[in-house]
Amino acid sequence: MNIIGHWINDEVIIKENSRTQAVYHPSTGEIGAQVALADANTTQDAIAAAQEAFATWKTITPMRRARILFKFKELLEQNIDTLAELIGKEHGKILHDAKGEIQRGIEVVEYACGAPELLKGEFTKNVGSEIDSWSDFAPLGVVAGITPFNFPTMVPLWMIPMAIVCGNTFVLKPSEKDPSAALFIAKLLHQAGLPKGVLNVVNGDKEAVDTLLSDSRVQAVSFVGSTPIAEHIYRTASAHGKRCQALGGAKNHAIVMPDADLDNVINSLLGAAFGSSGERCMALSVAVTVGQEMGDKLINGLKKAMQTLKVGAYHDNDNHFGALISQAHKQNVQAHIDSAERQGANIVVDGRNPHVAGYENGFYVGATLIDNVTPDMDSYRAEIFGPVLQVIRVDTIAEALILINQHEYGNGTCIYTQDGGTARYFCDNVQAGMVGVNVPLPVPVAYHSFGGWKRSLFGDLHIYGPDGIRFYTKRKTITQRWIANKESAIFSMPTL
Ligand code: NAD
């Protein structure tokens, strides 16, 4: 069977007797390949390759680095079908959705192409008499990225272009569940002219990650994944003196006000709750309806609209969403639906164990709608990460805000209303990092930065955009005087 290896110094590395793990095709339930799981030595080889490459790469001008990314963008566009196919096969998402994820990744590459402007620094002439001061932004060295299964291209592209264009070298540890897209990206960057060792990919699990977290050559770690692992990564990386940003899980609420445009709410909730099988950290998984009447109207409207939804194999673009990542995750999602039912919620549309003709062994769960959910239910507190929309009914926006603000996660949220004052009140008082007003998935564009609050992000800086530049560089401030007039000794604190 095909073994998926690592990418170190521009070569595919497969070591004999390496541990391996099955990579599934979720649409069919079959095993497609085995992925090699790097041990500490292999991971150290990748770090060494990155360390060696850094000595030269940091001296390459930002414009030249950006030119490689321009070429890389072209290659991503030319190869979008191949890349989408790799994603669809190993992740299960439908090709149209896979292409959307690639496009969002390309947008970060485009932003990173602006490096000469972004790294220009800050300059002030005459901070004191005949004294000038400037800050420049130096690369950190070897930096690592650890990424989740749900966006096998986009999330690595949140990190790699930003890190390398700033002059760092990179070791990526992608998800072992769908590793092929990351390797394909590495080969495209090589084709674009990236020098060897600047980007290395090690496949693996905890052993590879723990090596990255403890090796003193790694200066910074970007992580995206579930909250318990994000917390572990942040604590361990920080304890080893590394800079770290660790993005975690989510439970994103949409408040539906009594004046909301119902058709618009229904259409956008369908995509935001069930797109990519709900396996998005920005998926809207809870609708909070304000007022009994809106609650009833929304449930009836969604119930009807959901009849048209099609779950199925990744390569049929008529399908709205595909399989979940694994059989274990399918069981986990269904267990959450069981638990909501047991604890008194009303399963309005039941997607458990759907029949997908021709793909009976795929890991499918159909779109599920649950009404009368209450905050004490386990299914409400957990991140389900499946095609499940839960509805909570409240009487006022104040109650809705309390729900969101008391939840452990604070990634994304949105409000549907036609009232500007209500929208403003919501934006001012909601505790979440990414907020939408009549926008269900308020994912910041590449020239802003992405990140949540509370236990959805450990660290200070958000990912990509302006925060990405700051995360992957360290500031040096130089204050300079060329003396025209000699000055006498000063013993009090200099003031300028
Ligand atoms: P995960 O936490 O299981 O895995 C993420 C990465 O961590 C993988 O590379 C994995 O190999 C590694 N890992 C897993 N267990 C580890 C351990 N014990 N020690 C060290 N490394 C370990 O997450 P996942 O299931 O791949 O992805 C889904 C999760 O990611 C969801 O919770 C989702 O909300 C979250 N996510 C968050 C964002 C965001 O921007 N906040 C974006 C995408 C996904």
Side-chain angles (χ1 to χ4, degrees):
M1 177 165 280
N2 177 29
I3 294 191
I4 300 168
H6 318 288
W7 179 258
I8 300 174
N9 262 336
D10 282 0
E11 276 180 46
V12 175
I13 306 289
I14 301 173
K15 292 200 174 167
E16 269 180 38
N17 303 325
S18 158
R19 289 185 300 129
T20 60
Q21 180 174 314
V23 177
Y24 284 86
H25 291 173
S27 294
T28 60
E30 289 161 355
I31 295 177
Q34 295 284 329
V35 63
L37 302 175
D39 58 10
N41 282 338
T42 307
T43 310
Q44 283 159 1
D45 289 348
I47 297 169
Q51 176 83 343
E52 199 183 330
F54 179 63
T56 310
W57 182 244
K58 69 176 179 191
T59 67
I60 306 288
T61 64
M63 181 63 96
R64 285 180 190 273
R65 291 184 212 135
R67 281 193 192 125
I68 294 172
L69 290 185
F70 271 114
K71 181 74 190 155
F72 175 51
K73 166 189 148 65
E74 261 176 44
L75 289 170
L76 283 168
E77 284 165 351
Q78 285 161 15
N79 289 278
I80 195 164
D81 290 332
T82 312
L83 191 49
E85 177 73 21
L86 287 175
I87 296 171
K89 239 185 203 152
E90 291 184 357
H91 176 285
K93 67 176 71 172
I94 311 302
L95 289 174
H96 55 73
D97 188 28
K99 287 189 182 173
E101 119 160 51
I102 299 168
Q103 181 53 36
R104 289 306 290 248
I106 288 174
E107 288 167 14
V108 180
V109 180
E110 289 169 334
Y111 177 74
C113 285
E117 172 69 22
L118 300 168
L119 293 170
K120 230 165 36 179
E122 298 161 355
F123 180 83
T124 309
K125 189 176 169 71
N126 288 337
V127 292
S129 59
E130 299 176 320
I131 300 180
D132 305 327
S133 188
W134 74 91
S135 294
D136 61 34
F137 296 94
L140 306 176
V142 178
V143 300
I146 300 152
T147 52
F149 79 82
N150 67 325
F151 287 108
T153 291
M154 182 182 79
V155 173
L157 290 181
W158 283 359
M159 304 172 184
I160 298 166
M162 300 299 300
I164 64 176
V165 89
C166 289
N168 303 286
T169 53
F170 203 86
V171 180
L172 175 70
K173 207 302 286 170
S175 171
E176 62 277 38
K177 294 178 182 143
D178 45 12
S180 294
L183 285 173
F184 190 75
I185 287 173
K187 288 177 186 167
L188 290 186
L189 267 166
H190 167 61
Q191 224 179 308
L194 192 71
K196 77 172 183 179
V198 176
L199 170 65
N200 306 276
V201 181
V202 285
N203 282 307
D205 54 11
K206 188 169 166 48
E207 186 172 352
V209 172
D210 286 347
T211 308
L212 291 170
L213 295 179
S214 58
D215 192 299
S216 60
R217 291 168 294 183
V218 175
Q219 304 298 319
V221 177
S222 297
F223 172 87
V224 178
S226 59
T227 285
I229 309 299
E231 189 167 20
H232 160 71
I233 301 278
Y234 184 73
R235 284 175 188 273
T236 315
S238 306
H240 284 90
K242 301 182 195 315
R243 189 178 286 191
C244 185
Q245 53 180 185
L247 283 71
K251 189 82 174 180
N252 306 311
H253 297 61
I255 299 183
V256 187
M257 294 301 292
D259 67 343
D261 175 336
L262 188 64
D263 289 341
N264 179 45
V265 174
I266 289 169
N267 282 336
S268 62
L269 276 182
L270 289 181
F274 307 123
S276 202
S277 284
E279 289 175 321
R280 291 178 179 148
C281 64
M282 289 293 276
L284 277 180
S285 49
V286 183
V288 186
T289 53
V290 176
Q292 191 60 30
E293 197 186 336
M294 178 48 93
D296 292 343
K297 282 202 267 186
L298 185 71
I299 289 287
N300 290 336
L302 279 170
K303 191 174 163 186
K304 191 162 162 233
M306 284 169 67
Q307 287 167 5
T308 62
L309 292 183
K310 277 176 67 185
V311 56
Y314 76 95
H315 49 73
D316 182 349
N317 266 324
D318 286 341
N319 290 327
H320 295 102
F321 61 95
L324 292 167
I325 188 70
S326 65
Q327 180 65 20
H329 188 48
K330 169 180 169 154
Q331 279 162 357
N332 192 27
V333 170
Q334 297 198 151
H336 281 301
I337 304 171
D338 296 344
S339 122
E341 189 171 37
R342 235 184 4 259
Q343 293 180 345
N346 175 18
I347 314 295
V348 180
V349 180
D350 189 348
R352 284 172 287 192
N353 294 314
H355 181 248
V356 181
Y359 297 92
E360 284 75 9
N361 296 322
F363 310 139
Y364 298 100
V365 173
T368 298
L369 179 64
I370 309 181
D371 193 11
N372 296 320
V373 172
T374 54
D376 54 326
M377 291 180 182
D378 294 330
S379 63
Y380 171 70
R381 288 203 297 267
E383 179 186 38
I384 299 178
F385 224 50
V388 180
L389 177 62
Q390 297 182 287
V391 177
I392 297 198
R393 295 161 177 251
V394 297
D395 293 322
T396 64
I397 186 173
E399 285 174 73
L401 271 168
I402 289 171
L403 277 176
I404 300 174
N405 292 349
Q406 287 185 346
H407 206 284
E408 88 172 284
Y409 299 116
N411 214 40
T413 184
C414 91
I415 190 166
Y416 291 98
T417 181
Q418 302 197 45
D419 183 272
T422 303
R424 196 161 199 274
Y425 173 76
F426 171 73
C427 294
D428 285 349
N429 291 290
V430 75
Q431 301 285 321
M434 293 169 284
V435 179
V437 174
N438 299 317
V439 172
L441 299 175
V443 178
V445 292
Y447 40 98
H448 286 252
S449 298
F450 182 109
W453 285 13
K454 299 189 275 182
R455 288 174 60 76
S456 293
L457 183 140
F458 301 84
D460 303 305
L461 290 167
H462 288 196
I463 207 161
Y464 68 75
D467 274 16
I469 295 285
R470 289 291 172 266
F471 183 78
Y472 290 123
T473 55
K474 52 190 173 192
R475 175 186 289 266
K476 182 182 279 176
T477 303
I478 296 143
T479 304
Q480 176 175 274
R481 166 190 264 174
W482 295 101
I483 300 176
N485 301 305
K486 285 209 164 68
E487 100 184 346
S488 49
I490 302 171
F491 293 95
S492 51
M493 183 71 184
T495 53
L496 301 172

